Structure formats: structure tokens, C-alpha cells
């Protein structure tokens, strides 16, 4: 999950005798901060504008009379309050695939999707013809270096423009990177 600005966590403990909750947040270096409430069920508001952009771990501590009686599973989220200084997206044919030669069958691309503070939240491969999108294929897990495949029989033989778009999408902000566009010929 990607968060910008103010964000509310609804917290609930199912442990008996819970008298208070601590929402513990740790940054990438392990530095911890927290929010507390005197109840077993409460909403806790976090202002991420005071936090550096990056990856955070969060978990809930249930307490009785000041003693920790249990911890929730740990979850992760990204704070993204500003556009990353670096957002690069490019691709090329993998394993020596020449995209200037006619393509057939399954084509694999090497993708470089790098950012400076948080990873992209999604990526979309686009196939256009005459300026219209004829095929799009997406992924919600984006790695800095990854591969994506395209089964060319999903479009008719012809000339197409292929490209990729990657997005960082939070609860209140969207940042987009667009790759180079390459003209290819499909000939199955």
C-alpha cells in the first residue's frame, strides 16, 4: 500500500482484557515511532508528511495494564509524499531478441523500472496501432529489473507501436513514467 498525507488506521484487538493499543511503525533503518489509544478498538490517524518517503513496517501491540499481551502480524507500506527525484522506465528485447526484425510467438522484454525512493506500484505494457491502444497487459508487482512477455498472436499481423507505463499510486497522489516507444512488425 502507498500512502501520502494523512491516513487513518482502524485498529482492533481480539485478545481478552486489552486495555490499550500501540500502532508501532519502523522505517528502513529500524527507527520506531508509534501511536496509542486507550481502547481495544480505535482509529489512529497518521500524518505521513512528517515521515521520509520510503518503506515502513507497521504492527499493532495489544496491552493490559501497561504490559504487552500480543502483537499483530507485520504489514508493510510505502510513504510517498513527493514525486521521486528519479523515475526511469525502459525496455528492450531479452536474450538477444531484435525488436527491429519481424516478431512472432512469445516475445520477452527486459524491463528497467527504477525510482529513487519507492518502487512503482504497477506497470502496463501497451500495444498501439494508429494511435489507438489495441492491447494492454499489466502487473501490480514491479521490480527494478524484471521481464515481461507478450504473446504476439494476441494481435493480427501488422505494424504496431509498443511502450510501457509505470505508476506510483497512493491514496492521494499519482506519479507516472512512460518508456520509449518502439515500432515493431508482428508476422506470425
Amino acid at each position: 500500500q502507498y500512502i501520502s498525507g494523512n491516513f487513518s488506521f482502524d485498529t482492533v484487538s481480539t485478545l481478552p482484557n486489552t486495555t490499550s493499543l500501540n500502532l508501532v511503525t519502523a522505517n528502513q533503518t529500524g527507527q520506531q515511532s508509534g501511536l496509542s489509544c486507550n481502547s481495544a478498538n480505535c482509529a489512529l490517524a497518521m500524518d505521513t508528511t512528517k515521515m521520509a518517503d520510503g518503506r515502513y513496517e507497521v504492527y499493532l501491540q495489544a496491552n493490559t495494564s501497561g504490559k504487552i499481551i500480543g502483537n499483530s502480524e507485520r504489514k508493510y507500506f510505502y510513504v510517498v509524499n513527493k514525486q521521486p527525484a528519479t523515475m526511469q522506465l525502459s525496455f528492450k528485447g531479452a536474450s538477444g531478441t531484435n525488436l527491429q526484425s519481424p516478431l512472432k510467438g512469445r516475445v520477452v522484454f527486459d524491463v528497467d523500472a527504477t525510482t529513487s525512493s519507492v518502487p512503482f506500484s504497477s506497470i502496463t505494457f501497451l500495444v498501439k496501432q494508429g494511435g489507438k491502444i489495441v492491447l494492454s497487459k499489466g502487473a501490480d508487482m514491479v521490480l527494478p529489473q524484471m521481464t515481461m512477455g507478450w504473446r504476439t498472436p494476441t494481435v493480427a499481423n501488422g505494424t504496431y507501436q509498443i511502450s510501457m507505463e509505470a505508476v506510483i499510486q497512493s491514496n492521494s497522489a499519482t506519479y507516472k513514467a512512460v518508456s520509449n516507444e518502439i515500432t515493431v512488425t508482428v508476422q506470425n
Side-chain angles (χ1 to χ4, degrees):
Q1 184 164 10
Y2 291 71
I3 300 172
S4 300
N6 292 312
F7 192 81
S8 179
F9 290 90
D10 292 324
T11 60
V12 176
S13 172
T14 57
L15 295 174
N17 304 320
T18 299
T19 57
S20 66
L21 296 172
N22 296 331
L23 185 70
V24 180
T25 305
N27 66 14
Q28 296 172 55
T29 62
Q31 182 180 3
Q32 293 187 350
S33 61
L35 299 169
S36 300
C37 70
N38 291 318
S39 171
N41 182 351
C42 54
L44 296 170
M46 180 181 291
D47 180 3
T48 69
T49 61
K50 295 175 174 51
M51 301 166 73
D53 285 7
R55 183 176 188 250
Y56 289 82
E57 172 184 60
V58 65
Y59 64 95
L60 193 62
Q61 285 181 336
N63 306 296
T64 297
S65 302
K67 291 175 39 181
I68 299 171
I69 59 172
N71 292 321
S72 70
E73 70 176 303
R74 293 168 190 262
K75 300 279 186 170
Y76 299 90
F77 66 93
Y78 293 97
V79 169
V80 55
N81 287 311
K82 62 184 181 297
Q83 181 169 337
T86 303
M87 292 177 60
Q88 296 177 331
L89 180 62
S90 63
F91 70 101
K92 63 182 180 181
S95 302
T97 300
N98 182 354
L99 299 178
Q100 303 310 311
S101 298
L103 304 178
K104 66 178 186 175
R106 184 170 190 271
V107 178
V108 177
F109 305 102
D110 287 328
V111 181
D112 178 25
T114 55
T115 66
S116 55
S117 58
V118 300
F120 287 108
S121 54
S122 65
I123 189 168
T124 304
F125 171 70
L126 300 168
V127 180
K128 297 178 186 174
Q129 189 174 48
K132 291 182 158 184
I133 297 172
V134 295
L135 178 76
S136 67
K137 174 184 174 182
D140 291 330
M141 175 69 80
V142 185
L143 301 173
Q145 280 74 44
M146 58 188 282
T147 60
M148 287 185 81
W150 173 34
R151 287 178 170 57
T152 61
T154 57
V155 298
N157 288 344
T159 301
Y160 297 90
Q161 294 73 45
I162 59 173
S163 62
M164 295 195 186
E165 293 181 355
V167 173
I168 297 172
Q169 176 73 54
S170 76
N171 59 312
S172 64
T174 302
Y175 305 110
K176 184 190 292 188
V178 179
S179 76
N180 52 316
E181 187 171 89
I182 300 172
T183 299
V184 297
T185 301
V186 172
Q187 196 171 62
N188 282 300

